[in-house]
Amino acid sequence: MARMAVRAAVLVMCALVTFVSGCSTGERVDLGDGAGDSLIAAIAGEPDQLDPHKTSAYFSFEVLENVFDTLVEPDANLQMQPALAESWEVSSDQLTWTFRLRPGVTFHDGTPLTADDVVFSYRRIIDEQLTNSDKFSSVTAVEAPDPATVVLRVNRPTPNMLTNLGGFKGMAIVSRANVESGQIATRPIGTGPFSFLGQKSGDSISLGANPSYWGGPPGVSGVTFRFISEPSTALSALQAGEIDWTDSVPPQRVTQLRDDESLELAVTPSNDYWYLALNEAREPWNDVRVRQAIAYAIDRDAIVQATSYGTAAKNQLAIPEGNPWFTPYDRYSSGGVDKARDLLQEAGAAPPSLDMLVTTEYPETVTAAQIIADNLAPLGITVNIRTVDFATWLDEQNSGNFDMLMMGWLGNIDPDDFYYAQHHTDGTSNAQKFSNPEVDRLLDAGRVDTDETSRKAVYAKAATLIADEVSYIYLYNPSVIQAWNPALSGYEARRDGAVRFRSATLNADGGT
């Protein structure tokens, strides 16, 4: 799963997250790689690689957000803004997008950015069918009529084109030379606010400020990302002044930390969501009444408390309140086990057991499974919790070897991100084998509707049907939880989870 963008077979979201063993936090010293006394950030694991077109790991994108740029990018409200493209226009028939590049941009090695770099980057994703090739599903041509202009031609109106191109750094503009040398996965060269300096396996990655950055030079000399897998260790390092920032915060400590003057704490509602999916290729889960019975029996309040200590917001749809695409829905709020029992009786179903697939890499799934087992016991259903590593989880999901599974989708912005791949009959992540002609029609319509008002109505209908028919049993929207040294200013915790240090500054007298 992922944010910022990662869409592994789930997800992302979505993203293959690799957990590593704990390591010492170390001291604030020059690491010997030129970073000097830079901002020190603790992330929970080591990136698998640093090629933005090939990785799907959240830890990679935490680093790459600061190294690469996209043509456009989301602001704090997730509205798309100019980045490497300073302007764009769409033809009257909605089939041609023309982007004007920002002048004077260079890669970290001093090479000027041109339209050919954009064409190379996009053609690489398309031709090699890399992780984000689905973002170009409507694109028929990528052209560079001159060094400052990029033209994308599409076979249908694509209202989410900007989100597709800039929603996360998996769509980064890369250097051809960096790719062809084979070094992009270990020594990436981008156009972003920080350049890659070095990596110490199992310990850290260091970036240096890019003084020529088109958005202005960063306010810190560099950023060192340290890999600290244990949240309590990362928090202790922050409180001791050994690091400046972390998103590895124990949720059970949030209430206490709100009054801790030694740090700044942000608990920011996100667009991510966690869900359950029942395998509709198996009986009796192919009966909507049986799926609805499970949805009624699930105690979302208990799951939220156990998995996030109340920091998440329960939700029966994917998109959270506060998002412009939010649709109110609470069908499963009342009735509980009694309603579930009635539905099972109506369906003539009495499933004795349920195989639930969860993974150790996402402890939330294991915790929730234990609660779900208690929830379904009064229905006479024994939940057999099958805990596997994430690679096995993906294999089992893709082969349909499960009754029910739990996972999350991270890094969603446009409603198409929330629904199409997961719930269209031909969706690439429709592991639960859901198929509804009306949902398909609505999701296809939403992909080409350029009128925002009617598009919202389309997705509201689709989302309601998806929940009514129980393609997913939605559980909650987690919060982005981050903490930092009060001496760090100019940083903002974002609802998309993107970690941007371009505008951050450190007060030299801040005690670190």
Side-chain angles (χ1 to χ4, degrees), residues 158-234:
T158 309
N160 61 338
M161 175 63 80
L162 295 181
T163 300
N164 284 345
L165 297 181
F168 69 110
K169 291 302 181 286
M171 299 293 284
I173 306 307
V174 301
S175 158
R176 178 194 289 265
N178 194 215
V179 171
E180 293 180 344
S181 70
Q183 295 187 19
I184 188 169
T186 56
R187 297 197 66 84
I189 294 174
T191 60
F194 296 91
S195 60
F196 178 84
L197 294 180
Q199 179 170 0
K200 293 186 176 181
S201 179
D203 181 78
S204 61
I205 287 177
S206 294
L207 311 179
N210 175 11
S212 302
Y213 184 54
W214 56 263
V220 293
S221 64
V223 181
T224 299
F225 290 90
R226 299 193 64 88
F227 316 140
I228 303 177
S229 61
E230 176 54 51
S232 60
T233 304

Side-chain angles (χ1 to χ4, degrees), residues 190-320:
T191 60
F194 296 91
S195 60
F196 178 84
L197 294 180
Q199 179 170 0
K200 293 186 176 181
S201 179
D203 181 78
S204 61
I205 287 177
S206 294
L207 311 179
N210 175 11
S212 302
Y213 184 54
W214 56 263
V220 293
S221 64
V223 181
T224 299
F225 290 90
R226 299 193 64 88
F227 316 140
I228 303 177
S229 61
E230 176 54 51
S232 60
T233 304
L235 179 60
S236 295
L238 177 63
Q239 292 173 317
E242 296 169 358
I243 63 172
D244 301 301
W245 176 95
T246 187
D247 63 349
S248 188
V249 179
Q252 64 268 34
R253 298 285 301 279
V254 165
T255 300
Q256 171 196 3
L257 293 175
R258 292 186 190 279
D259 298 322
D260 189 336
E261 295 183 356
S262 71
L263 54 79
E264 295 288 337
L265 178 73
V267 181
T268 306
S270 78
N271 277 358
D272 306 339
Y273 65 85
W274 288 83
Y275 67 91
L276 302 170
L278 286 158
N279 188 351
E280 298 178 37
R282 292 183 173 183
E283 294 183 346
W285 320 116
N286 58 340
D287 189 318
V288 65
R289 294 167 296 184
V290 177
R291 300 196 301 274
Q292 288 171 342
I294 304 300
Y296 275 108
I298 297 300
D299 186 342
R300 288 174 179 79
D301 287 313
I303 293 173
V304 167
Q305 185 59 38
T307 57
S308 73
Y309 293 85
T311 60
K314 67 176 181 178
N315 196 358
Q316 296 183 29
L317 293 183
I319 300 178

